[in-house]
Amino acid sequence: MSDFINTLNGYLWGPIMIVLCLGVAIIYSVVLKFPQIRLFKSMVHYLTKGSSSENGISSFQGFAMALGGRVGVGNIAGVATAIFYGGPGALFWMWVYALLGAASAFAESTAGQIWKTEDNGEYCGGPAQYIARGLRCKPLAILYALAAVLAFGLTGPTVQSYNIADSMRNAFHVPPLVTGIVIAILFAVIVAGGAKRIGSFASYVVPFMAGVYIVLMIIILGTNITRVPAMFGLIFRCAFNKEAAFGAIFGSTIMWGVKRGVYSSEAGQGSGAQASSAAEVSHPVKQGLAQAFSVYIDTLVVCTATGLMILCTGCYNIVDGAGNALVEALPGIEPGTGYTQAAIDTVFPGFGSAFIAIAVLFFAFTTLLSFGYYAKPNVIFLTGDEKKAKVICAIVVAVQVLMTVYGSANSSALVWNIADVGVGLIAWFNLLGLLFLVKPIAALLKDFEKQKKLGLDPVFVPEDCGIKNAELWHEITKEHYSDLLTEKERVMGAAANKND
């Protein structure tokens, strides 16, 4: 089984995937004129703007749910794995993908909002919906939905539970299986409350833990301040193949940087679009901007914190493509949470294991909860029947519970490779869909900026942007934003008369 999974990953994560990830991100960045940079102020503004409704969660809860999905094991163990296989330069390529990938995150989350639907009184959507309704390519939408159920229901939970169990064993000597069972029970209880309970939980836990993690990083960098310039020099030299010691793994440097960037940030996977679709906003671009910002928090802040702690303390190992050690500062330690634990122990002896165990617990658990929601829109899409969807969703949750227990007791390499298969499949299908949705996303952003220039709080009317199959928005604007729509018609009518 292990050999088959490794072979499949070789195809899914080969050079073509790297080109596709970066290509889509570059296309959206250029066509939309880098909204992830020039609209940075609006990104921050729309994080807290707006409130929830009976149908949808608030913009911040949608952001927190997606960030909970993004900020997970990949931010701690994943960064260590990238350094192990790709060297220090892999961190640079994670930064590159975050800056460019934020445009992909903006596009997919905006699309998720445009073509969202309503199920049992709650908004839901994601790539399956925008590929089917926006791109009008149902076969590709079905492939994405099937892959998403596989990724979020079967392969994804294994990584989260393994790393929670591994860190709890290292720090507190808790048997992995016991940890897996407890986490599985807590997961089932919270997921039963639906998107609102998950969003509420994430909105409290994720910002707090991320803040504590960043403070710890600042303290460790401050303690090792004399090593910081050399550390950044090493990162950049390795990123551009200027460090002879790591020249043999330069290809792996880019591949692992981008691969871990995709896995950690989820930009390009379409998973964040599912959380975005559940939010209550007056214009899709608002939630698109909020979700683009979550990529920055995930990779440029949390992943960077992990990478800098590991590199400035020298607590890492590196191997070449044949598995030969290039650097072995931590003999016998597998790539994962152990690197970060060792880095923290250099400043706070004995504290690293306990802190990382708690951080991994919360980060990975919120990711696991996001998976509990992400599978649902895809099941709904595939069944097209509310009663059938409820039954199948219950089965998927049961499978997630079982995989959570299974993952807690299996090896790091196997668990990561299984998860890579799921992520690779959904990334392929989503990126192919995004390639052909540039025009409507550009039209939405143009409409948003036009309204902003007129001093309006933007409200979305599909016909104004040439968008079809977005009928739900007529109900949304009528029920929740009739005042904004009236003001828009008044101001734009006056502007048109003035031009005449």
Side-chain angles (χ1 to χ4, degrees), residues 37-213:
I37 296 174
R38 62 185 181 84
L39 296 179
F40 183 82
K41 185 177 178 181
S42 294
M43 285 184 189
V44 179
H45 174 72
Y46 288 117
L47 287 181
T48 55
K49 188 75 173 178
S51 58
S52 61
S53 69
E54 291 182 0
N55 307 99
I57 58 180
S58 70
S59 182
F60 182 74
Q61 287 176 329
F63 162 81
M65 189 194 300
L67 187 59
R70 299 183 200 281
V71 178
V73 173
N75 298 78
I76 301 176
V79 174
T81 304
I83 291 172
F84 179 72
Y85 289 111
L91 188 61
F92 172 84
W93 291 102
M94 290 182 74
W95 295 339
V96 170
Y97 187 75
L99 287 169
L100 294 172
S104 299
F106 166 80
E108 62 193 13
S109 293
T110 299
Q113 274 284 330
I114 296 170
W115 288 290
K116 65 184 178 183
T117 59
E118 189 175 280
D119 176 73
N120 201 26
E122 290 187 352
Y123 300 141
C124 66
Q129 290 290 352
Y130 61 67
I131 292 172
R133 296 161 66 85
L135 188 59
R136 299 180 191 178
C137 183
K138 196 162 184 179
L140 182 60
I142 291 172
L143 286 174
Y144 179 89
L146 290 170
V149 173
L150 171 69
F152 302 127
L154 191 64
T155 66
T158 58
V159 169
Q160 313 307 322
S161 62
Y162 169 80
N163 283 280
I164 293 173
D166 186 51
S167 59
M168 295 299 285
R169 178 185 58 191
N170 291 340
F172 307 115
H173 309 292
V174 179
L177 191 59
V178 172
T179 300
I181 292 171
V182 172
I183 292 300
I185 293 171
L186 291 173
F187 166 80
V189 170
I190 296 176
V191 167
K196 291 189 177 181
R197 186 181 294 178
I198 296 171
S200 178
F201 182 86
S203 68
Y204 290 105
V205 173
V206 175
F208 173 75
M209 283 308 302
V212 173
Y213 196 68

Side-chain angles (χ1 to χ4, degrees), residues 194-435:
K196 291 189 177 181
R197 186 181 294 178
I198 296 171
S200 178
F201 182 86
S203 68
Y204 290 105
V205 173
V206 175
F208 173 75
M209 283 308 302
V212 173
Y213 196 68
I214 292 161
V215 169
L216 185 63
M217 181 266 298
I218 293 171
I219 294 172
I220 290 175
L221 286 184
T223 305
N224 294 276
I225 192 67
T226 56
R227 299 181 181 180
V228 170
M231 174 193 66
F232 277 107
L234 180 63
I235 290 171
F236 287 110
R237 288 197 306 276
C238 292
F240 295 99
N241 199 21
K242 299 297 181 181
E243 185 68 22
F246 302 120
I249 60 169
F250 177 61
S252 295
T253 298
I254 299 175
M255 186 191 76
W256 276 95
V258 174
K259 187 160 110 172
R260 284 293 143 230
V262 173
Y263 187 88
S264 176
S265 71
E266 299 185 359
Q269 295 179 33
S271 51
Q274 285 150 154
S276 174
S277 301
E280 179 67 73
V281 291
S282 65
H283 197 289
V285 168
K286 291 182 178 181
Q287 196 62 22
L289 290 170
Q291 296 297 350
F293 187 74
S294 70
V295 173
Y296 289 167
I297 298 295
D298 171 87
T299 306
L300 298 184
V301 177
V302 183
C303 281
T304 297
T306 299
L308 297 185
M309 284 192 286
I310 289 172
L311 293 174
C312 81
T313 57
C315 294
Y316 57 91
N317 301 325
I318 300 174
V319 297
D320 61 18
N324 301 312
L326 299 178
V327 174
E328 194 171 18
L330 299 172
I333 302 296
E334 279 195 69
T337 57
Y339 289 12
T340 315
Q341 289 173 1
I344 295 171
D345 280 337
T346 63
V347 178
F348 301 102
F351 179 64
S353 294
F355 178 82
I356 291 301
I358 294 170
V360 168
L361 171 63
F362 283 105
F363 285 163
F365 187 59
T366 52
T367 299
L368 193 58
L369 291 177
S370 297
F371 289 172
Y373 174 74
Y374 291 166
K376 181 181 176 181
N378 296 287
V379 171
I380 292 170
F381 174 80
L382 289 170
T383 60
D385 182 279
E386 190 173 311
K387 290 183 179 179
K388 288 182 181 178
K390 282 185 178 180
V391 174
I392 297 176
C393 281
I395 294 172
V396 170
V397 170
V399 172
Q400 288 173 320
V401 169
L402 292 174
M403 292 307 295
T404 297
V405 177
Y406 169 80
S408 67
N410 282 275
S411 71
S412 174
L414 177 62
V415 163
W416 274 112
N417 286 335
I418 290 173
D420 281 346
V421 170
V423 175
L425 287 172
I426 62 174
W428 264 101
F429 299 138
N430 183 59
L431 289 165
L432 289 173
L434 286 178
L435 275 174

Side-chain angles (χ1 to χ4, degrees), residues 449-471:
E449 294 191 280
K450 179 180 179 181
Q451 292 186 56
K452 289 287 288 183
K453 286 180 181 178
L454 292 172
L456 294 166
D457 184 357
V459 60
F460 177 49
V461 177
E463 290 75 15
D464 291 350
C465 305
I467 301 294
K468 297 179 180 179
N469 298 324
E471 296 81 7

